[in-house]
Amino acid sequence: MSEEPLLTKRENGVLELTLNRPDALNSMTEELHLKLQDAISQVESDETIRAVILTGAGRAFCAGQDLSGRRQTIDGEPPDLGHSLETYYNPLIRRLYALRVPTIAAVNGVAAGAGANIALACDLVFAAKSAKFIQAFCKIGLGPDSGGSYFLPRAVGLAKAKGLALTGEAVSAEDAERLGMIWQVVDDTALMETARAQAAKFADGPPLGLAAIRHVLHQSLSNDLDAQLDLERDTQRELGRSNDYREGVLAFFEKRTPKFTGR
Ligand code: T3D
């Protein structure tokens, strides 16, 4: 097994990122954070990357923060978790959310603490049937982070979000789909094939349109109806001037698959 904490594979416009610390359930270290930041920088600067898949090696997706460095002696100096969030987790979530390309979490096993919420920050979450999601923070005396307190209530409603965060109960992949936390549960053996097939569709899709869809939906979480209608108008006006829209309509009438360029 490679020692690299993050494996990257790039194929046909799709960047696949695999958290690779299976012995510690792919929990997050500074080194892994820095590798993820590098990978995100690559996506931000390379227009030929059209979709991202995030998954985990071994039996877990990610068990959140690596707690081995968080053990304290009674009289030791406590760690500054605010610094950890400001330096690592918050930029990770902000940058994932702000990418112009769709992100897919392929949750192959347990996703706990920040691991669960990193998955929820992705656009589409596919989960293997055997996967589970745990808001583990309450078990170690912490509150939710990595955007969990933002994404969860919006996805499942306040009552369920409170239940999940206050009890730390594991949610099966099937329940997560039923609750609206994730997009789709798939058989364990079909997980990566399903995620890659969707990523390939995104990679062939209209980049400007896909970026706009993400943007308007993100904005809808804080806009009122008037603002949202204005945003839809402005977005549609801009997209309507793109080559990709012209190509999409042309391809429709010519009964062929459109070839989008992102222009
Ligand atoms: O600190 C900051 O920077 C603030 C930010 C915090 C963000 C957070 O994510 S806080 C929440 C941290 N995560 C957790 O509290 C989850 C801890 N892990 C678990 O509760 C359980 O491991 C799981 C429910 C995820 C899985 O349980 P199970 O029974 O399937 O596996 P296990 O036996 O507990 O774990 C297997 C191994 O992975 C084990 O090591 P060993 O005994 O085989 O050598 C275990 O210690 C290790 N492991 C699991 N999670 C972590 C971990 N090692 C370090 N850090 C972990 N988070």
Side-chain angles (χ1 to χ4, degrees), residues 21-28 33 59-60 62-71 79-85 88-89 110-116 132 134-140 142-146 170:
R21 305 184 63 243
D23 293 346
L25 305 190
N26 303 319
S27 51
M28 302 293 298
H33 271 289
R59 71 176 178 90
C62 173
Q65 170 64 34
D66 185 321
L67 295 175
S68 54
R70 296 289 185 257
R71 287 181 189 217
D80 180 353
L81 302 190
H83 178 264
S84 168
L85 263 55
Y88 299 112
Y89 289 98
V110 66
K132 53 190 175 178
I134 309 175
Q135 293 294 318
F137 308 94
C138 60
K139 297 184 179 179
I140 54 169
L142 294 182
D145 63 30
S146 305

Side-chain angles (χ1 to χ4, degrees), residues 1-5 7 18-23 26 56-59:
M1 178 73 64
S2 155
E3 296 289 304
E4 273 297 311
L7 304 180
T18 305
L19 306 174
N20 188 39
R21 305 184 63 243
D23 293 346
N26 303 319
R59 71 176 178 90

Side-chain angles (χ1 to χ4, degrees), residues 105-149:
V107 180
N108 52 302
V110 66
N117 295 337
I118 291 168
L120 298 186
C122 292
D123 296 319
L124 288 192
V125 183
F126 291 101
K129 228 172 223 160
S130 64
K132 53 190 175 178
F133 297 82
I134 309 175
Q135 293 294 318
F137 308 94
C138 60
K139 297 184 179 179
I140 54 169
L142 294 182
D145 63 30
S146 305
S149 62

Side-chain angles (χ1 to χ4, degrees), residues 178-258:
R178 194 177 45 76
L179 284 168
M181 253 171 76
I182 65 167
W183 173 236
Q184 207 178 329
V185 189
V186 293
D187 282 338
D188 287 24
T189 51
L191 178 69
M192 290 316 293
E193 181 194 331
T194 308
R196 286 174 186 144
Q198 182 59 61
K201 284 186 193 160
F202 284 144
D204 286 339
L208 299 174
L210 294 177
I213 290 169
R214 299 177 78 251
H215 179 66
V216 297
L217 291 177
H218 290 174
Q219 294 304 111
S220 81
L221 298 175
S222 52
N223 276 348
D224 62 18
L225 177 61
D226 273 340
Q228 199 60 21
L229 288 172
D230 287 350
L231 179 62
E232 289 180 359
R233 175 202 60 209
D234 295 344
T235 306
Q236 218 67 310
R237 177 175 287 143
E238 204 175 314
L239 290 174
R241 291 175 176 143
S242 69
N243 288 347
D244 280 352
Y245 171 62
R246 197 165 48 218
E247 164 65 3
V249 175
L250 207 60
F252 171 77
F253 284 112
E254 292 175 356
K255 300 189 190 308
R256 62 174 173 80
T257 305

